[in-house]
Amino acid sequence: MDHFQYRDGQLYCENLSVAALAEKFGTPLYIYSQATIVGVLKSLQTAFAELNPLVCYSVKANSNLSILKVMQEAGSGFDVVSGGELYRVQKSGGQPGRTVFAGVGKTDEEIAAGLNAGVLMFNVESEAELDAIVRVAKNLGKVAPVALRVNPDVDPKTHRYISTGKKESKFGMDIDRSLALGQAIVGNPNVSMIGVHMHIGSQITTTEPYAGAAGKAVTLIAQFREMGHPISWFNMGGGFGINYRGNEAKAIEEFAKVIVPVIKPTGCHIAMEPGRVIAGNSGILVSRVLYTKQSGEKRFLIQDAAMNDLIRPALYESFHRIWPVSVPKGFPAPPADYEAEIEGTQHWDVVGPVCESGDFLAKDRSLPALDRGDLIAVFSAGAYGMVMSSNYNTRPRAAEILVDGDTARLARRRETYEDLVEQELAAIGAPGALG
Ligand SMILES: *Cc1c(COP(=O)(O)O)cnc(C)c1O
């Protein structure tokens, strides 16, 4: 359950009117709901309670410091995939000892930063990366805690760009290679293999891929223990899907039902790296209609959010629910099914101002007639939204606000033109350049 609800045809985030927030903070605007973020975290902690879970929120889904701080205060650990994300965790008050360091291309500097900070473990993606971790740990006189990232070769049945757990993926290693690597590091004084890691993809809406992965993990954990490795963690990665359209994703409790009984007999703690399921439906993107335009049979709704603000539709052909912030009389709020014909609506391509045909938020979408100045909400935009934004077309990045009950705080101010040229001014000897 998220906290973006219509009351009398007006969209609210928790107790605040979205229209009033857009008036105050401008558009395009990302709005996040703290109650939703914390609510999902609690359901994960409850559903997996039997395994004493450590939720390591996947920072890459939404790395705003205010969100990391909320997560940290609510008892979350973190999953980082770069030195920059580790830096953010530290800046927001997060504990490195509750942070796992993943990522397929860790540099020596990033490995050293992780070791010096004291991360819980590194998720190791290849033999060569383990060599690097051992070498850096030796130089620092440390023992690196690691988990091998294993591809269980299950098909997560998700978009090909976000599927990672199959044999032919660039991530992790297959089971045979992981067993050989496990054997090779027995007795190595600079590494301690304390876990097994599997992350099989993202936006996974069915439980079968997890059941398959967990089953394979149990066998592997036993094999590693036999070699003498003190495996005490099973890190199941992230990937829980969310409802972008309606009810397509299984509830967290359903995932727990197939995973908990399988892992329980191993005695392992479970770590998980959920990103999308926490942030996704905790955020919306609000934009304002600039123009409407008709070319032939096509109607275009040109509004002030673009692919530089939210690239998911262009990159993954993903679907986001879109509906007016103030619903015109006679229309449902919200519609029962955003993809069905809605009486009285017309079909619109919802597009932004960027000079690319790929710059769209939705195609052929049923919407009431809208005019210049009207506000629309793009739902499920909290994950992989702002973090993937850019300054393409020299567009300042949107502002982000975090709502908690009756209060809204600016979590990131809207960028200015000065922000955008700052790194370049010195090169042209411009007056006012810092360098
Ligand atoms: C992206 C990623 C996650 C988070 O995935 P979600 O689908 O957002 O839950 C977790 N772990 C790793 C290793 C990742 O790369």
Side-chain angles (χ1 to χ4, degrees), residues 115-178:
L115 284 169
N116 286 328
V119 296
L120 175 61
M121 59 187 136
F122 291 91
N123 296 338
V124 177
E125 305 252 2
S126 67
E127 294 84 351
E129 186 197 325
L130 191 61
D131 286 347
I133 291 176
V134 168
R135 176 169 42 75
V136 175
K138 194 167 178 199
N139 285 342
L140 294 173
K142 291 191 188 279
V143 182
V146 301
L148 299 190
R149 175 168 181 177
V150 180
N151 283 330
D153 198 27
V154 297
D155 183 357
K157 301 208 162 48
T158 183
H159 191 281
R160 63 191 189 287
Y161 285 9
I162 52 178
S163 159
T164 58
K166 299 224 289 184
K167 246 186 170 153
E168 61 274 21
S169 160
K170 86 166 170 180
F171 301 99
M173 56 198 98
D174 65 31
I175 288 178
D176 291 342
R177 273 175 68 189
S178 73

Side-chain angles (χ1 to χ4, degrees), residues 58 60-61 79 81 102-103 123 125 149 171 197 199 201-203 237-240 273-277 384:
S58 181
K60 78 174 194 274
D79 158 44
V81 294
N123 296 338
E125 305 252 2
R149 175 168 181 177
F171 301 99
H197 176 242
H199 170 74
S202 200
Q203 185 55 14
F240 293 156
E273 306 167 336
R276 186 190 312 269
V277 77
Y384 307 107

Side-chain angles (χ1 to χ4, degrees), residues 2 16 33 91 93 98 103 106 116 132 138 146 184 259 334 356 362 396:
D2 68 53
L16 298 178
S33 153
K91 279 283 166 192
R98 291 164 70 79
K106 303 176 190 77
N116 286 328
K138 194 167 178 199
V146 301
I259 297 165
E356 296 278 347

